[in-house]
Amino acid sequence: MTQVPTVTPARLDPLTVAEIAGVVTAIRADPRIGDNPRFWGIALDEALAPAGLEGSPRPVRVVVMNPDAHAAWEVSAWTAPAGGQTGAAVVNGWRDVDARRPGVSSEEARMVAAAARKDPGLIAALAKRGITDVSLVWVDPESITGFEPDDLSDRRLSWGTVWYRESVEDNGYARPVAGLVPIIDLETLEVVRLEDHGVVPMATETGMYSSGTWGPDRTVAPLEIVQPQGPGFSVDGQLVRWQNWSFRIGFTHREGLVLHELSYRDGDVERPVVKRAAVNEMYVPYLDSDPTAYRKNFFDWGEYGAGPLTASLELGCDCLGEIRYFDAAVLDGHGEAKTIANAICLHEEDASILWKHVNTRTGSAEVRRSRRLVISAFATVANYDYGFYWTLYQDGAIELEIKLTGIMSVSGIADGERPRYGRMIAPNVQAPTHQHYFGIRLDMAVDGELNRLVEVHAEAEEDEELNPYGNACKLVETVIGSESVGGRKADPARALHWRIENDHKANRYGDPTAYRLAINNTTGLFARPGSVVERKAPFVSKHLWATPYAAEERFIAGEYPNQAPLGEDGVQAWQQADRPLENSRLVLWPVIGVHHFPRPEQWPIMPVDTISFRLEPDGFFDRNPSLDVPPAEPDGDHCAVPTGAAGDHGHGGHDHDHGHHGH
Ligand code: NI
């Protein structure tokens, strides 16, 4: 079932197609954008969005470029009123933006690729490799930030990875055209430089992965998820309620899926936990000095944008059960307002055991199954596919699972050579070592807007009088008081984690109510100090950053990271102000990451690799908040084992007559 678009959006609801189209019409009336304008997204200005009547005009920012004039602007505007009210969108401000800095839209990428395929130099270089049908060649314009040639650095640039397909339906990412690197002017659509590092034999093996390519499919038994009474959640516009949780679903150009106003109903009280949560940036550096690989280091959100890359789940749905979809509206690179049908998936999942105990003295048992609510979206970033699964649990926990799948970005390799900084994954194909970092933004609101951050770790008790047996272990708490200490590192070996506390609210033990944040998926950057990779994304040097809320500090790697001076903007720059963090509107920026040493088993398509982080109540409640979860219905008892079916083990599911056998 597909949601009818909300016609009277509430304050922070996603922009509608009608709102976007109205604003673009108003911008198009201005001659300065020229005859060939390009757009890089529209976003609600959340900080300025007025509370009040639904359907009121809302403030937005639009990035528009005039490539013929080497000019770009951030346009401020108000949407037309919605919900049957009359009036038009109003443009009220143009701010110059460095023409190199807006990110690249998919439409701009396709224009660039089409133009590059007509370049005589590239055509000749492809012919040297035996490729004469240029229509089967892909050129992916990649962000060049930090690697702009000195004599071209005033231009809006891209560099190209080049791929070959044996047919239109072939997997192009399986056949890298090695050695060729076009540098492309995104505005004039010219190949301004072409590096040719020599011919390498093309991959000979197919990279297809459709059913039957590698032999007959295996047999699997049917598995059905049935919810005979429908789902356990309710939806009203963008507002979702599920058991004790409630939140609003948002969506932006830059971040894609956003959750607003996440709160937990505790008895009769709605208790806020997180004001706003989103995956704010990705950084993917490749760690290989090969001439066609060393430039690969991407801000996938800041240099492209998650919203328009969000996959329509009409093109392959990933969830089982009673599903509710939400559409999303985006502005494409040509200025068209478009709907991504079924962009966001909402569904419940069984999640194994919530809690359990068997009383072996009496033979009685209490067990509860865990149910979780999943709000998910997938983004397809050229070769890679990333799933973002925000998951709510019955015990008050919040989890973000990121699923990495799709096709690895590979390089060609000559016969007889071994990859020094990668792995052979097919004949003449190597997958370079690389990393994926995700900068998450959490506007915290544990029991209210003012919170503080406390770091906690385990430490042996050094006082021998207090610790006569040598086993005593302390919990050491450190308040993170200001930004000079606001960048923190995880350390699982010391059980290091963080508490987000409300110092004005106490639980029944007199402790501040709090949530706990633990980050277990981390990696270190192995780039030499001073290198582009090291300077481009300083935020990856820590695993958690804390800042006080500031309206213009929206993105962890800065507002416009494409072709930006390295490290100029972003969380590490804001920290220089050393603002106090205690009792502030605390914004947390967890950075989770994975070091990816490729495996042959991840080719030609990668089984999902999952990384995650969790927020758990930590003195937020007075006891286990899930004691009211009912036992499974008798007819829903999936553990029942028919008599005799347990075989020789003799421990059928309903055998409660066994005695106590000790340990
Ligand atoms: Ni990877």
Side-chain angles (χ1 to χ4, degrees), residues 267-281:
D268 296 329
V269 183
E270 284 285 346
R271 299 177 66 185
V273 179
V274 183
K275 192 172 179 60
R276 186 185 190 283
V279 178
N280 189 259
E281 185 57 281

Side-chain angles (χ1 to χ4, degrees), residues 364-505:
S364 67
E366 289 277 357
V367 58
R368 299 294 182 275
R369 286 202 72 83
S370 175
R371 186 82 64 86
R372 62 184 188 180
L373 183 71
V374 183
I375 312 103
S376 64
F378 248 96
T380 302
V381 187
N383 53 295
Y384 249 104
D385 299 70
Y386 297 97
F388 300 94
Y389 286 60
W390 289 97
T391 306
L392 307 179
Y393 290 86
Q394 291 162 305
D395 63 355
I398 302 164
E399 187 174 53
L400 172 66
E401 279 188 349
I402 300 177
K403 298 176 193 282
L404 295 82
T405 181
I407 302 161
M408 291 187 292
S409 183
V410 296
S411 310
I413 184 164
D415 293 320
E417 278 190 28
R418 300 286 300 169
R420 190 180 289 269
Y421 308 111
R423 189 84 184 265
M424 290 301 297
I425 47 92
N428 293 110
V429 183
Q430 68 130 329
T433 300
H434 60 278
Q435 301 179 318
H436 306 258
Y437 292 96
F438 300 87
I440 320 299
R441 177 177 175 147
L442 299 172
D443 290 43
M444 296 305 300
V446 175
D447 266 337
E449 281 206 337
L450 302 183
N451 288 170
R452 68 174 187 178
L453 180 66
V454 179
E455 186 166 285
V456 181
H457 70 268
E459 200 170 289
E461 177 58 74
E462 287 172 359
D463 185 329
E464 290 199 12
E465 275 186 38
L466 291 173
N467 188 15
Y469 313 108
N471 63 324
C473 177
K474 293 188 290 192
L475 178 153
V476 180
E477 296 186 314
T478 310
V479 175
I480 306 302
S482 77
E483 287 180 300
S484 64
V485 289
R488 312 303 305 172
K489 282 196 147 180
D491 186 356
R494 291 193 299 147
L496 190 147
H497 59 272
W498 297 275
R499 287 165 52 87
I500 302 96
E501 296 184 346
N502 189 318
D503 203 20
H504 305 285
K505 298 276 169 65

Side-chain angles (χ1 to χ4, degrees), residues 299-639:
F299 286 131
D300 284 322
W301 288 185
E303 292 172 335
Y304 302 97
L309 299 178
T310 298
S312 170
L313 298 172
E314 280 188 342
L315 300 173
C317 183
D318 320 299
C319 305
L320 291 174
E322 291 286 322
I323 294 168
R324 173 68 184 257
Y325 293 109
F326 292 78
D327 295 346
V330 294
L331 175 62
D332 81 7
H334 297 312
E336 296 297 318
K338 283 185 174 167
T339 299
I340 300 174
N342 298 5
I344 297 161
C345 175
L346 177 69
H347 78 295
E348 287 175 289
E349 285 180 358
D350 178 88
S352 190
I353 299 303
L354 175 61
W355 50 259
K356 168 176 175 139
H357 183 62
V358 174
N359 182 335
T360 56
R361 307 317 197 273
T362 64
S364 67
E366 289 277 357
V367 58
R368 299 294 182 275
R369 286 202 72 83
S370 175
R371 186 82 64 86
R372 62 184 188 180
L373 183 71
V374 183
I375 312 103
S376 64
F378 248 96
T380 302
V381 187
N383 53 295
Y384 249 104
D385 299 70
Y386 297 97
F388 300 94
Y389 286 60
W390 289 97
T391 306
L392 307 179
Y393 290 86
Q394 291 162 305
D395 63 355
I398 302 164
E399 187 174 53
L400 172 66
E401 279 188 349
I402 300 177
K403 298 176 193 282
L404 295 82
T405 181
I407 302 161
M408 291 187 292
S409 183
V410 296
S411 310
I413 184 164
D415 293 320
E417 278 190 28
R418 300 286 300 169
R420 190 180 289 269
Y421 308 111
R423 189 84 184 265
M424 290 301 297
I425 47 92
N428 293 110
V429 183
Q430 68 130 329
T433 300
H434 60 278
Q435 301 179 318
H436 306 258
Y437 292 96
F438 300 87
I440 320 299
R441 177 177 175 147
L442 299 172
D443 290 43
M444 296 305 300
V446 175
D447 266 337
E449 281 206 337
L450 302 183
N451 288 170
R452 68 174 187 178
L453 180 66
V454 179
E455 186 166 285
V456 181
H457 70 268
E459 200 170 289
E461 177 58 74
E462 287 172 359
D463 185 329
E464 290 199 12
E465 275 186 38
L466 291 173
N467 188 15
Y469 313 108
N471 63 324
C473 177
K474 293 188 290 192
L475 178 153
V476 180
E477 296 186 314
T478 310
V479 175
I480 306 302
S482 77
E483 287 180 300
S484 64
V485 289
R488 312 303 305 172
K489 282 196 147 180
D491 186 356
R494 291 193 299 147
L496 190 147
H497 59 272
W498 297 275
R499 287 165 52 87
I500 302 96
E501 296 184 346
N502 189 318
D503 203 20
H504 305 285
K505 298 276 169 65
N507 61 25
R508 67 169 169 163
Y509 313 105
D511 296 325
T513 60
Y515 257 70
R516 173 185 299 199
L517 170 65
I519 298 174
N520 296 319
N521 289 112
T522 61
T523 182
L525 192 67
F526 298 92
R528 185 165 54 227
S531 63
V532 168
V533 165
E534 190 268 340
R535 288 183 294 140
K536 181 169 166 177
F539 77 86
V540 307
S541 66
K542 307 287 184 187
H543 304 130
L544 180 69
W545 299 86
T547 59
Y549 172 83
E552 290 305 310
E553 294 175 0
R554 305 197 300 165
F555 305 113
I556 192 169
E559 190 76 20
Y560 291 104
N562 192 43
Q563 285 190 255
L566 300 182
E568 169 204 64
D569 191 9
V571 68
Q572 78 290 336
W574 313 330
Q575 297 268 306
Q576 304 298 321
D578 194 21
R579 294 164 294 186
L581 293 170
E582 274 201 75
N583 291 315
S584 65
R585 281 181 63 182
L586 194 60
V587 181
L588 297 183
W589 310 81
V591 178
I592 62 176
V594 56
H595 187 90
H596 189 172
F597 280 129
R599 296 181 286 136
E601 291 84 351
Q602 294 174 325
W603 191 256
I605 189 164
M606 193 177 131
V608 164
D609 190 13
T610 301
I611 61 174
S612 65
F613 80 90
R614 273 169 81 83
L615 282 163
E616 295 171 330
D618 184 355
F620 188 80
F621 301 108
D622 289 335
R623 65 176 66 77
N624 181 346
S626 65
L627 295 173
D628 61 344
V629 172
E633 296 291 321
D635 62 357
D637 182 356
H638 298 291
C639 292

Side-chain angles (χ1 to χ4, degrees), residues 108-449:
E108 192 174 34
R110 279 196 281 275
M111 289 167 65
V112 171
R117 280 196 296 262
K118 292 179 186 146
D119 180 73
L122 188 66
I123 290 169
L126 290 167
K128 262 171 52 182
R129 290 160 169 81
I131 298 171
T132 50
D133 185 352
V134 184
S135 72
L136 294 174
V137 171
W138 284 345
V139 180
D140 274 6
E142 316 280 8
S143 54
I144 200 166
T145 310
F147 290 109
E148 302 92 334
D150 283 342
D151 57 325
L152 300 172
S153 63
D154 57 337
R155 299 195 189 209
R156 175 169 165 79
L157 291 177
S158 174
W159 69 284
T161 48
V162 187
W163 311 88
Y164 178 65
R165 295 169 295 167
E166 293 199 328
S167 67
V168 170
E169 288 299 320
D170 197 10
N171 171 10
Y173 291 117
R175 299 185 202 275
V177 178
L180 268 189
V181 181
I183 310 261
I184 305 158
D185 185 317
L186 291 175
E187 293 180 315
T188 64
L189 304 177
E190 297 167 286
V191 175
V192 288
R193 192 147 296 164
L194 183 64
E195 296 176 11
D196 191 340
H197 299 277
V199 177
V200 173
M202 186 71 64
T204 51
E205 196 170 274
T206 182
M208 295 297 280
Y209 42 84
S210 49
S211 180
T213 305
W214 298 90
D217 288 343
R218 71 180 70 179
T219 302
V220 294
L223 173 67
E224 290 176 11
I225 308 294
V226 180
Q227 293 186 270
Q229 293 165 24
F233 53 77
S234 69
V235 177
D236 176 11
Q238 300 297 120
L239 173 67
V240 178
R241 292 186 184 282
W242 177 72
Q243 299 194 10
N244 296 320
W245 286 107
S246 66
F247 58 93
R248 301 187 71 89
I249 291 181
F251 189 88
T252 70
H253 171 83
R254 184 77 165 256
E255 298 162 293
L257 173 61
V258 179
L259 300 184
H260 293 285
E261 312 292 352
L262 195 51
S263 74
Y264 192 98
R265 194 183 63 249
D266 184 10
D268 296 329
V269 183
E270 284 285 346
R271 299 177 66 185
V273 179
V274 183
K275 192 172 179 60
R276 186 185 190 283
V279 178
N280 189 259
E281 185 57 281
M282 279 176 59
Y283 182 53
V284 186
Y286 283 68
L287 309 180
D288 180 358
S289 51
D290 180 273
T292 58
Y294 73 85
R295 295 178 184 87
K296 289 183 185 175
N297 68 128
F298 312 117
F299 286 131
D300 284 322
W301 288 185
E303 292 172 335
Y304 302 97
L309 299 178
T310 298
S312 170
L313 298 172
E314 280 188 342
L315 300 173
C317 183
D318 320 299
C319 305
L320 291 174
E322 291 286 322
I323 294 168
R324 173 68 184 257
Y325 293 109
F326 292 78
D327 295 346
V330 294
L331 175 62
D332 81 7
H334 297 312
E336 296 297 318
K338 283 185 174 167
T339 299
I340 300 174
N342 298 5
I344 297 161
C345 175
L346 177 69
H347 78 295
E348 287 175 289
E349 285 180 358
D350 178 88
S352 190
I353 299 303
L354 175 61
W355 50 259
K356 168 176 175 139
H357 183 62
V358 174
N359 182 335
T360 56
R361 307 317 197 273
T362 64
S364 67
E366 289 277 357
V367 58
R368 299 294 182 275
R369 286 202 72 83
S370 175
R371 186 82 64 86
R372 62 184 188 180
L373 183 71
V374 183
I375 312 103
S376 64
F378 248 96
T380 302
V381 187
N383 53 295
Y384 249 104
D385 299 70
Y386 297 97
F388 300 94
Y389 286 60
W390 289 97
T391 306
L392 307 179
Y393 290 86
Q394 291 162 305
D395 63 355
I398 302 164
E399 187 174 53
L400 172 66
E401 279 188 349
I402 300 177
K403 298 176 193 282
L404 295 82
T405 181
I407 302 161
M408 291 187 292
S409 183
V410 296
S411 310
I413 184 164
D415 293 320
E417 278 190 28
R418 300 286 300 169
R420 190 180 289 269
Y421 308 111
R423 189 84 184 265
M424 290 301 297
I425 47 92
N428 293 110
V429 183
Q430 68 130 329
T433 300
H434 60 278
Q435 301 179 318
H436 306 258
Y437 292 96
F438 300 87
I440 320 299
R441 177 177 175 147
L442 299 172
D443 290 43
M444 296 305 300
V446 175
D447 266 337
E449 281 206 337

